[in-house]
């Protein structure tokens, strides 16, 4: 098998140890003679997978007891609707911070279900900065404030959650589990799995008890109803069992590697090295303000965009895959989630140096 580094933004690289474990267990899960994807979600085997994964995720996050973990479907995009349906009542208003493509989509979807006020908007900086919180419009009367903790396309990341007096909701799809998180500051946190958790098809949602006690604020499909899903242990209907199982293997892997503190150290080191090189290169540039650069998704452009296709062809030949930037912004993007080792970043940098020497 050829050794490659996959810089895809999502679905993204998974830890090799996780894939090998899934392969070993594929035909015969724990002596059952069956694959875990062939058994009932209500049977003893899958119950074990589900319970263990929830316990491991709780341990990883040091999750307070007043939070429920839901395993839902439909991706983060479905949560763009589920959040207002569960949290936004008639006559109420939701506050949103717009830091890029994903916030923009979350805002548009929320507007279909209620009144939304954008209290801070980074559009004027072409989404290369996050406005300081003292410059945001007041949101004291909002039903909740929603922010995107990491903009996967623009490469802009909140370094800490905003401090507000209203329930805080966050789309953490692309930086969930990349560092320790004080969940207690939030009412709801959600993340599509395919960036930093596991296979596509699964969405992890953390919901605080007071949200569940209050109940949904509008008519909501039962499969999107946080209360109904919580009561049913995320098994109101058939969950994406295989994706859930692989996510569970990732949680085990994270714990065995030292948990989220270790991940934070590794992720900081990888990002620092890549940004450091980009900034000093004089050939590659990253447009994002330093205080809010993403540690997960690092977009960069070449001094001459005419060289983009050559860069992509040559990097792919060296096993450095999926570096093409999102179609909406162009250029390049290196996504370096938990599963990307420092060796992958080092190989990318040495390719970039060599490319600059030959074409710069
Ligand atoms: C990928 C992504 C989404 C969309 O996820 P889907 O699972 O495709 O719905 C939303 N928000 C962020 C921050 C993302 O990275």
């Amino acid at each position: 098998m050829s050794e490659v580094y996959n810089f895809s933004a999502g679905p993204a690289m998974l830890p090799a140890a996780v894939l090998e474990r899934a392969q070993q267990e594929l035909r015969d899960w724990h002596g059952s003679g069956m694959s875990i994807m062939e058994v009932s979600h209500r049977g003893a085997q899958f119950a074990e997978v589900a319970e263990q994964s929830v316990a491991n995720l709780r341990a990883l996050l040091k999750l307070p007891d007043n939070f429920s973990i839901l395993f839902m479907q439909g991706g983060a995009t479905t949560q763009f609707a589920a959040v207002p349906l569960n949290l936004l009542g008639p006559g109420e208003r939701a506050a949103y911070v717009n830091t890029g493509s994903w916030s923009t989509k979350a805002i548009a979807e929320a507007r279909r279900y209620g009144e939304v006020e954008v209290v801070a908007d980074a559009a004027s900086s072409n989404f290369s900065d996050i406005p300081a919180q003292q410059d945001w419009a007041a949101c004291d009367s909002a039903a909740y404030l929603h922010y995107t903790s990491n903009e996967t396309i623009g490469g802009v990341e909140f370094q800490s959650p905003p401090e507000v007096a209203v329930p805080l909701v966050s789309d953490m799809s692309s930086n969930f589990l990349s560092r320790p998180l004080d969940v207690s500051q939030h009412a709801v946190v959600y993340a599509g799995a395919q960036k930093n958790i596991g296979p596509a098809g699964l969405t992890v949602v953390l919901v605080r008890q007071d949200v569940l006690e209050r109940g949904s604020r509008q008519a909501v499909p039962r499969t999107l109803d946080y209360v109904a899903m919580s009561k049913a242990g995320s098994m109101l209907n058939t969950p994406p069992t295989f994706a859930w199982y692989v996510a569970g293997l990732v949680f085990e892997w994270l714990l065995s590697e030292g948990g989220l503190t270790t991940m934070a150290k590794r992720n900081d080191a990888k990002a620092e090295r890549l940004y450091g090189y980009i900034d000093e290169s004089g050939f590659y540039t990253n447009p994002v303000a330093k205080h809010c650069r993403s540690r997960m998704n690092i977009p960069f452009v070449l001094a001459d965009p005419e060289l983009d296709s050559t860069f992509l062809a040559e990097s792919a030949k060296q096993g450095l895959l999926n570096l093409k930037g999102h179609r909406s912004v162009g250029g390049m993007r290196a996504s370096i989630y938990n599963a990307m080792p420092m060796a992958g970043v080092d190989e990318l940098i040495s390719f970039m140096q060599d490319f600059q020497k030959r074409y710069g």
Side-chain angles (χ1 to χ4, degrees):
M1 205 180 93
S2 60
E3 213 36 78
V4 302
Y5 291 109
N6 175 11
F7 293 92
S8 171
M13 184 175 177
L14 285 164
V18 165
L19 294 176
E20 278 157 19
R21 171 96 179 268
Q23 182 180 37
Q24 279 160 15
E25 297 183 340
L26 189 67
R27 290 293 306 274
D28 181 12
W29 185 83
H30 295 198
S32 67
M34 296 173 285
S35 163
I36 196 67
M37 69 178 124
E38 299 171 301
V39 300
S40 168
H41 57 294
R42 304 203 188 277
Q45 288 120 350
F46 194 76
E48 190 181 321
V49 167
E51 275 164 32
Q52 194 61 56
S53 66
V54 168
N56 285 341
L57 182 55
R58 266 194 187 282
L60 273 173
L61 290 166
K62 301 186 168 60
L63 194 67
D65 288 341
N66 64 332
F67 277 83
S68 292
I69 296 175
L70 307 182
F71 289 89
M72 298 179 70
Q73 302 190 56
T77 303
T78 301
Q79 292 303 313
F80 294 168
V83 164
L85 288 171
N86 280 279
L87 272 66
L88 187 58
E92 293 179 341
R93 202 154 38 118
Y96 276 70
V97 181
N98 187 9
T99 50
S101 313
W102 289 116
S103 330
T104 301
K105 287 192 172 152
I107 290 163
E109 184 70 8
R111 285 202 159 120
R112 305 182 65 223
Y113 305 103
E115 206 189 317
V116 167
E117 187 190 359
V118 177
V119 293
D121 198 334
S124 60
S125 73
N126 201 23
F127 297 119
S128 63
D129 203 351
I130 296 178
Q133 213 192 314
Q134 75 235 30
D135 299 330
W136 298 6
C139 65
D140 302 337
S141 60
Y144 63 88
L145 178 111
H146 179 285
Y147 75 103
T148 307
S149 64
N150 183 66
E151 287 284 356
T152 322
I153 294 172
V156 170
E157 184 174 19
F158 279 84
Q159 301 309 316
S160 56
E163 281 168 31
V164 290
V166 300
L168 194 55
V169 177
S170 186
D171 175 1
M172 294 199 180
S173 295
S174 49
N175 66 353
F176 192 62
L177 304 181
S178 69
R179 60 182 174 194
L181 166 70
D182 182 2
V183 180
S184 67
Q185 292 167 281
H186 297 83
V188 175
V189 166
Y190 61 92
Q194 71 272 22
K195 289 17 185 295
N196 209 19
I197 302 173
L202 181 75
T203 313
V204 174
V205 186
L206 312 176
V207 188
R208 204 168 59 199
Q209 195 59 35
D210 57 284
V211 174
L212 296 176
E213 276 162 15
R214 195 165 174 222
S216 75
R217 309 285 292 141
Q218 313 187 26
V220 49
R222 294 244 305 145
T223 51
L224 299 186
D225 183 337
Y226 296 154
V227 177
M229 283 299 275
S230 172
K231 279 190 180 146
S234 301
M235 296 203 202
L236 189 81
N237 65 331
T238 316
T241 51
F242 193 71
W244 187 335
Y245 155 75
V246 176
L249 297 183
V250 171
F251 302 153
E252 272 187 48
W253 176 79
L254 289 168
L255 285 169
S256 73
E257 292 289 301
L260 302 188
T261 312
T262 304
M263 287 304 129
K265 278 194 200 124
R266 290 185 194 168
N267 290 327
D268 286 350
K270 287 183 288 177
E272 250 170 57
R273 198 172 291 183
L274 187 48
Y275 283 117
Y277 170 64
I278 288 170
D279 288 345
E280 71 177 24
S281 70
F283 181 74
Y284 305 99
T285 42
N286 168 281
V288 179
K290 284 194 175 149
H291 72 98
C292 57
R293 282 174 160 181
S294 169
R295 299 155 310 124
M296 299 279 101
N297 312 96
I298 302 187
F300 59 92
V301 295
L302 279 54
D304 177 5
E306 299 263 299
L307 289 167
D308 283 3
S309 56
T310 313
F311 182 95
L312 287 166
E314 291 194 8
S315 55
K317 226 191 240 167
Q318 288 210 17
L320 303 168
L321 306 182
N322 296 317
L323 286 162
K324 194 177 187 347
H326 190 268
R327 60 188 187 281
S328 64
V329 292
M332 307 298 153
R333 173 177 48 171
S335 295
I336 52 172
Y337 301 113
N338 288 343
M340 177 62 67
M342 182 62 100
V345 172
D346 284 338
E347 280 221 12
L348 173 61
I349 292 174
S350 85
F351 168 78
M352 289 167 74
Q353 285 168 329
D354 180 60
F355 189 87
Q356 178 179 3
K357 248 182 233 147
R358 288 181 292 115
Y359 296 99

